Amino acid sequence: MGFLSVLSMAHRLVQERVQPGDAVIDGTCGNGVDTLFLAGLTGPRGTVYAFDVQEQAIARTRERLAPLAEEGRMPSLRAVLDSHARIREHVEPALHGKVGAAMFNFGYLPGADPSVITQTRSSIDALEAALGVLRPGGIVTAVLYPGHEGGDAEAAAIEAWASALPQVAAQTMLYRMAQKPTAPYLIAVEKRT
Ligand code: SAH
């Protein structure tokens, strides 16, 4: 039957930890697929932050979630046209320490400008900020693309960051197809304290 794909594994890990009414973050909303998934988990009482630096991505995400409003299933959607490195500044202070999950899908948006690619420095700042606003038991997922140009260095830096987190603060996990070194892979970080 094969193993779960990297994206399905990320969804599984998030689904197990997010409850209706939660606040969550999509750090790289792109086409809004993960944002829609998160909205389904939080339901109309939840709050979903969606970050992207491309207007096109914010527009596509709003469009993808629009039908939820008609069905009365729309969470409070905060679409933010800014870098995910500034998560702390955009997530309202009352939600700091309460966020259930933050999902990241790094690299570039297929079908859009491939030069708008995530950058190692801001990616690590974003992961750090996301971990900071999580509640204990909350999770950060990061899908990495070592096969893209520049993606290999970013993936290695993020892996080093995750590996160096103190075990009392967080538990980290790597999910990767061992025979496919250039395939996308997943790092998940569960906050402990
Ligand atoms: N690589 C994935 C898609 C990633 S989409 C795939 O192949 O399916 C990554 C998204 O991150 C893009 O929409 C891009 O605009 C966005 N992005 C790039 N830098 C960002 C930043 N600093 N903050 C927030 N979003 C960013």
Side-chain angles (χ1 to χ4, degrees), residues 27-31 51-54 57 82-85 105-110 116-119 122 145 148:
T28 46
C29 65
N31 288 319
F51 287 83
D52 208 290
V53 289
Q54 296 191 73
D82 195 3
S83 174
H84 43 218
N105 192 338
F106 291 110
Y108 58 84
L109 183 61
V116 186
I117 188 162
T118 53
Q119 303 291 323
S122 50
Y145 292 81
H148 294 186

Side-chain angles (χ1 to χ4, degrees), residues 109-127:
L109 183 61
D113 182 353
S115 71
V116 186
I117 188 162
T118 53
Q119 303 291 323
T120 303
R121 183 66 259 165
S122 50
S123 297
I124 294 202
D125 287 348
L127 290 165

Side-chain angles (χ1 to χ4, degrees), residues 73-185:
R73 300 195 292 123
M74 184 68 128
S76 168
L77 174 64
R78 319 269 172 92
V80 183
L81 181 64
D82 195 3
S83 174
H84 43 218
R86 292 177 24 85
I87 279 175
R88 242 194 134 68
E89 287 75 7
H90 289 285
V91 170
E92 64 180 275
L95 294 173
H96 289 194
K98 301 222 167 87
V99 172
M103 301 185 75
F104 293 87
N105 192 338
F106 291 110
Y108 58 84
L109 183 61
D113 182 353
S115 71
V116 186
I117 188 162
T118 53
Q119 303 291 323
T120 303
R121 183 66 259 165
S122 50
S123 297
I124 294 202
D125 287 348
L127 290 165
E128 193 73 51
L131 192 56
V133 297
L134 285 193
R135 62 170 176 246
I139 192 165
V140 175
T141 61
V143 177
L144 308 174
Y145 292 81
H148 294 186
E149 212 185 308
D152 48 351
E154 180 182 51
I158 290 174
E159 207 176 310
W161 168 80
S163 307
L165 289 170
Q167 288 185 47
V168 289
Q171 190 177 31
T172 70
M173 185 273 253
L174 204 139
Y175 182 67
R176 185 169 196 174
M177 300 305 153
Q179 298 147 307
K180 296 185 182 168
T182 58
Y185 67 102

